[in-house]
Amino acid sequence: DYAKAAHYYQIAMEQGSSDAAVALGLLYEDGKGFAKDPKTAAKLYRKAADAGNTVGEHNLACMYDTGHGVPKDPKEAMKWYLKAAVKGYAPSQVNVGCMYERSRGVPVDFKKAFDWYMKAAIQGQPVGEQNIGHYYKYGWAVKQDYKEAYSWYTSALEHGQTSALDAIGNLYRFGEGVPRDYVQAVKLFTRGAAQDDSDSLNDLGTMYVNGLGTRRDYEKAFRSYNQAANYENSHAQLNVAILYK
């Protein structure tokens, strides 16, 4: 009963609970118990953040990052992400890394991005682990090391990061850090595709088109590309167009 939950969160918040302010903000943001109200959610997150609540700081940063309930402001987002990140909150550490990587609110700095991703990764945060894998695969801010990339991708997968299936699959596809194995790549792409990962769907389509690790099958390739395209994967949209030619 979300309405009753909101009632008691309100009481707890009035007695000084910043956790209750965050919980109530989530109900407003998600529209549980009442209509969605991102502005009220943002106000509640700020109340919690001003009290030093780590999750409140992170959630408020997300609102500024996306312009949800408040005007979009990357610098303000970065300020609040950092407050939570320095306390060791892994989701904020990942987002600080993203801000440095994509130059949102701060100048681009791949070394700082890597360092923040690593702080999250060593806590077992799967997005941080996968991003560290990317940095080792492409040699961003560190020496290129495919085996190290494989290790981090595998850890990310073990912690539930579905998109790591595609990343590992491509290591097998191109023989990077592991022996080239098209059959294993297809198995990984198929697992990712079954979980609606658009990159896995796209890469599986490519394996069908080229007959790598599986029998060439343009019909299956089209279905795989088309499903990925429906998830707004631009590479798949291009591949669908090519098959129509």
Side-chain angles (χ1 to χ4, degrees), residues 56-77:
E57 292 167 342
H58 176 80
N59 289 2
L60 181 61
C62 290
M63 303 298 263
Y64 278 113
D65 200 3
T66 60
H68 192 53
V70 291
K72 191 170 185 177
D73 188 333
K75 289 184 178 179
E76 191 71 7

Side-chain angles (χ1 to χ4, degrees), residues 74-225:
K75 289 184 178 179
E76 191 71 7
M78 183 63 166
K79 181 184 85 173
W80 289 104
Y81 281 142
L82 275 170
K83 285 179 180 290
V86 296
K87 297 176 185 176
Y89 191 58
S92 284
Q93 292 172 337
V94 168
N95 287 1
V96 168
C98 287
M99 300 298 271
Y100 277 116
E101 181 180 308
R102 300 172 187 176
S103 188
R104 295 207 314 262
V106 287
V108 66
D109 190 323
F110 287 106
K111 180 62 170 63
K112 287 183 179 178
F114 177 86
D115 290 343
W116 279 107
Y117 289 146
M118 183 61 80
K119 289 177 188 293
I122 61 177
Q123 295 188 64
Q125 209 286 340
V127 177
E129 291 174 320
Q130 178 167 281
N131 288 351
I132 289 295
H134 291 333
Y135 272 59
Y136 276 111
K137 177 178 179 178
Y138 297 109
W140 297 335
V142 290
K143 183 179 179 181
Q144 190 174 50
D145 188 331
Y146 292 126
K147 290 185 178 180
E148 192 71 13
Y150 178 85
S151 177
W152 283 107
Y153 287 149
T154 301
S155 185
L157 179 60
E158 289 171 353
H159 290 135
Q161 187 68 9
T162 301
S163 55
L165 287 163
D166 182 73
I168 299 170
N170 274 304
L171 292 180
Y172 279 106
R173 177 184 174 187
F174 296 108
E176 296 171 337
V178 291
R180 176 172 283 174
D181 187 335
Y182 292 134
V183 172
Q184 181 65 10
V186 168
K187 288 179 180 178
L188 289 160
F189 294 150
T190 300
R191 284 176 59 191
Q195 298 181 62
D196 295 327
D197 177 66
S198 68
D199 287 329
S200 293
L201 284 161
N202 180 65
D203 288 330
L204 181 59
T206 298
M207 302 302 272
Y208 279 124
V209 164
N210 294 290
L212 299 175
T214 187
R215 182 174 60 85
R216 179 177 277 115
D217 190 323
Y218 290 107
E219 187 174 321
K220 287 184 178 179
F222 178 82
R223 286 202 300 268
S224 194
Y225 283 150

